[in-house]
Amino acid sequence: KELPLWETSFTDGKVASQLGDPIGSYYVENGKSVIFQPPPVGLTNVTSHYGMLFGIDGYNVRWTPVGKRDAWPAAFSLDFESKPVALASYAQGLIVLCEDGIYRIDGTTPTLLSRSRTRAENGCYAPFSVQNTHAGLVYLSQRGLMLFDGNNAECITDKKVPGSFFFGT
């Protein structure tokens, strides 16, 4: 049916049994109802990791099912106490750089992902400072430039440049 441009809704009157195969935008996996939704408004720092997209939505990290880059189920999210600043795919996990420290998201399926805190206590303050290098993940903290190896972070500018240098006027 052709609708006028100003119409905002349409009811087709078909029964669900007449639609054929079930649509793939809803399923239940590991006890979680997965309902496809558009990406949240304000989603930032979208990062690809093992066939999924991850992004920051306020104090949450959200992700898509594998291979479904346009579906952002509300069930696929983890909350953080401190605001996530940046995301990076590193050391077989998704690294979440927050202001209070560095976290890691690991798991086997999108419904079973979990977060864990690493031993890196100096968080990230500049999302565009995060760089993946052969030596590790480099980022800017209040202390200075940090080198993260997947679990620990070491300040590489401690003895050369004071941390106040990076945050001065």
Side-chain angles (χ1 to χ4, degrees):
K1 180 175 178 176
E2 188 174 315
L3 297 174
L5 204 54
W6 57 86
E7 290 287 327
T8 58
S9 65
F10 172 73
T11 305
D12 64 5
K14 296 267 186 202
V15 189
S17 61
Q18 295 176 333
L19 294 176
D21 292 332
I23 56 173
S25 61
Y26 170 78
Y27 61 93
V28 176
E29 183 179 297
N30 296 319
K32 287 187 177 180
S33 294
V34 179
I35 302 168
F36 289 7
Q37 296 174 334
V41 176
L43 188 72
T44 62
N45 207 273
V46 177
T47 304
S48 179
H49 178 70
Y50 288 113
M52 297 179 283
L53 290 180
F54 289 79
I56 298 172
D57 179 26
Y59 283 78
N60 302 322
V61 172
R62 302 265 312 257
W63 60 91
T64 65
V66 176
K68 304 280 186 193
R69 296 178 174 264
D70 58 343
W72 294 82
F76 290 2
S77 70
L78 289 171
D79 297 329
F80 288 82
E81 295 81 33
S82 183
K83 185 167 177 32
V85 175
L87 303 173
S89 181
Y90 183 76
Q92 289 81 39
L94 182 83
I95 306 301
V96 182
L97 296 102
C98 294
E99 293 174 350
D100 71 338
I102 310 301
Y103 297 82
R104 184 182 173 101
I105 295 178
D106 293 301
T108 55
T109 64
T111 53
L112 293 177
L113 295 184
S114 63
R115 74 173 187 175
S116 58
R117 189 174 175 127
T118 66
R119 290 189 285 222
E121 296 297 323
N122 294 292
C124 181
Y125 281 87
F128 298 113
S129 69
V130 180
Q131 298 297 316
N132 196 339
T133 70
H134 71 281
L137 206 59
V138 177
Y139 67 94
L140 182 63
S141 76
Q142 287 280 38
R143 192 168 160 199
L145 283 176
M146 304 296 290
L147 181 64
F148 179 71
D149 65 4
N151 199 29
N152 298 303
E154 172 188 0
C155 186
I156 57 178
T157 58
D158 235 358
K159 295 180 174 110
K160 298 174 182 149
V161 181
S164 61
F165 171 80
F166 294 106
F167 294 95
T169 55

